[in-house]
Amino acid sequence: PRPPPPPTSNHHHHHPLSVHSESNSKVVGFVLIGLGNALSFAPEYFFLRQVYFQCGRLRKPLGGKETVAASAPTTAEAAEPPKGSFGEAWVTWFRHSGGVPVVTVSYALLYFTALSPHGVVLLAFLAGQGVSPAMISLFTASGAAAGVVGVTVFEYAITCAGIRTASFIYVAGEAVAVVIAGFSFSAAVAAADAGGESMGSASMSTLSVFMLAVVVSRVGLYGFDVGVLELQQRQVDEKDRNAVGAVENSMTSAGTLLIMALSMDTTTPESFVHIVWASAVSVCFAAVLFGMYLRLWHEHEHSHPLGTEDSHAHTTQQRRMLVESTGSKHVHMHFAVGTMTHRLTQ
């Protein structure tokens, strides 16, 4: 009998050498990425060292004493218990003046999002939908570059509009970008359903608009991050910064954990679209909250006649400003009603 004909299957048979070469290339790539990560610590150390030597207060021992007039607590402050526990930190944060809790919640809401070019949730979904590794790498790198642009331009925005208005423009811009991303993603899902293919092949043009909008949103996020940090440096009392910072970190970590937990069962575009829109709503709510903060808490400068410095509460840095400034001037943050009353009585 004749031998059977060779199989006519369309399956490709990889040569063992080609498989071995592909495996080696992956190992080399992984090693190069790890080496680059290790080398990045050198410039990081250099910049942190420059900051350390340029800021004298960083080199000051924790037990160092400042001028008595600037640092001595009032009678009410001296009677306060130390903020040693996590529960006391929450109380300190909630009772803090100047709209600090509103700013903190607004900032923390930005962490309840999957719309991040370097977030594992979005990157894993895009890879599962057939988006090429090259496109994903470009997406991630563009997000980092957008962050650099956002921080750089923010300095000029502060000069033109002030720290508070500039911060609102940035977070509002981020909200607009993620809403565009939401509509683009919905359109990409519809195109994939109509074509019966994965999003990476059936709707790449629409998906590219989605990825571009996410990248643009990073400009607003990183600028707003700098603005919030500056506002907290002004408003949060130095003695309460650890407590407020601990609460803020717990909120941001909770937002990240929650979005990852909700994404565990979202393996299809039809289910992931809900995560996308939940992220967009969270960012929009953050912008609304920060806008409310600007309307309800007003900032103004005033002076104290000699002997009236204790007429109302001051933070540690405000007391220092009273001592160092001519005419005992300092900047105060007041609730809107209190600001209008203050202006009417001037």
Side-chain angles (χ1 to χ4, degrees):
R2 293 182 180 181
T8 58
S9 172
N10 292 328
H11 295 292
H12 298 284
H13 297 279
H14 297 284
H15 194 277
L17 290 178
S18 65
V19 175
H20 182 69
S21 176
E22 182 180 352
S23 176
N24 283 341
S25 65
K26 290 182 178 180
V27 172
V28 171
F30 180 79
V31 171
L32 289 176
I33 292 174
L35 181 61
N37 186 30
L39 292 176
S40 68
F41 284 97
E44 181 179 350
Y45 169 77
F46 172 76
F47 289 124
L48 290 176
R49 189 173 184 272
Q50 291 294 106
V51 172
Y52 177 77
F53 283 105
Q54 289 178 9
C55 182
R57 296 190 64 190
L58 291 177
R59 302 191 303 275
K60 186 174 181 180
L62 292 178
K65 296 181 179 179
E66 301 182 30
T67 55
V68 176
S71 61
T74 62
T75 304
E77 291 170 345
E80 293 181 356
K83 288 89 179 172
S85 70
F86 188 66
E88 290 171 345
W90 278 91
V91 172
T92 300
W93 166 80
F94 185 77
R95 292 180 176 177
H96 206 289
S97 60
V100 169
V102 179
V103 176
T104 305
V105 173
S106 175
Y107 178 71
L109 283 171
L110 300 180
Y111 281 77
F112 181 75
T113 180
L115 303 180
S116 171
H118 55 266
V120 63
V121 172
L122 182 56
L123 295 182
F125 175 80
L126 293 176
Q129 291 300 310
V131 180
S132 66
M135 182 64 109
I136 292 178
S137 298
L138 179 62
F139 177 51
T140 304
S142 300
V148 174
V149 172
V151 173
T152 304
V153 177
F154 188 74
E155 299 299 325
Y156 298 98
I158 292 176
T159 305
C160 298
I163 181 71
R164 284 157 54 88
T165 303
S167 298
F168 177 72
I169 292 173
Y170 267 66
V171 72
E174 181 186 0
V176 172
V178 296
V179 168
I180 294 175
F183 281 112
S184 301
F185 189 86
S186 298
V189 172
D193 287 341
E197 301 180 75
S198 65
M199 294 182 68
S201 56
S203 55
M204 197 59 220
S205 59
T206 312
L207 195 61
S208 298
V209 176
F210 162 75
M211 296 167 73
L212 178 61
V214 173
V215 168
V216 172
S217 73
R218 297 289 98 178
V219 177
L221 172 66
Y222 282 90
F224 183 68
D225 182 63
V226 175
V228 168
L229 180 61
E230 176 66 24
L231 289 173
Q232 290 178 335
Q233 290 291 321
R234 292 185 184 184
Q235 296 170 214
V236 179
D237 197 309
E238 290 179 358
K239 63 183 177 62
D240 296 331
R241 284 177 182 171
N242 286 340
V244 174
V247 172
E248 180 182 283
N249 288 337
S250 66
M251 287 184 175
T252 55
S253 299
T256 302
L257 179 62
L258 183 57
I259 200 69
M260 294 183 74
L262 293 175
S263 305
M264 291 179 65
D265 292 329
T266 53
T267 56
T268 63
E270 292 77 14
S271 58
F272 196 78
V273 70
H274 299 297
I275 297 296
V276 170
W277 278 110
S279 303
V281 169
S282 180
V283 174
C284 291
F285 189 41
V288 170
L289 267 184
F290 192 78
M292 291 173 55
Y293 157 76
L294 294 183
R295 294 291 297 174
L296 296 177
W297 280 272
H298 297 171
E299 193 177 54
H300 72 277
E301 183 182 72
H302 68 203
S303 60
H304 285 278
L306 187 64
T308 63
E309 291 84 357
D310 294 330
S311 57
H312 54 255
H314 295 98
T315 62
T316 303
Q317 54 268 36
Q318 286 173 342
R319 291 197 302 274
R320 185 183 302 111
M321 191 180 298
L322 287 173
V323 174
E324 296 174 353
S325 65
T326 56
S328 297
K329 291 183 179 180
H330 69 101
V331 177
H332 244 308
M333 186 72 63
H334 285 292
F335 193 65
V337 176
T339 304
M340 289 185 286
T341 304
H342 173 81
R343 290 175 177 173
L344 289 173
T345 56
Q346 280 186 326

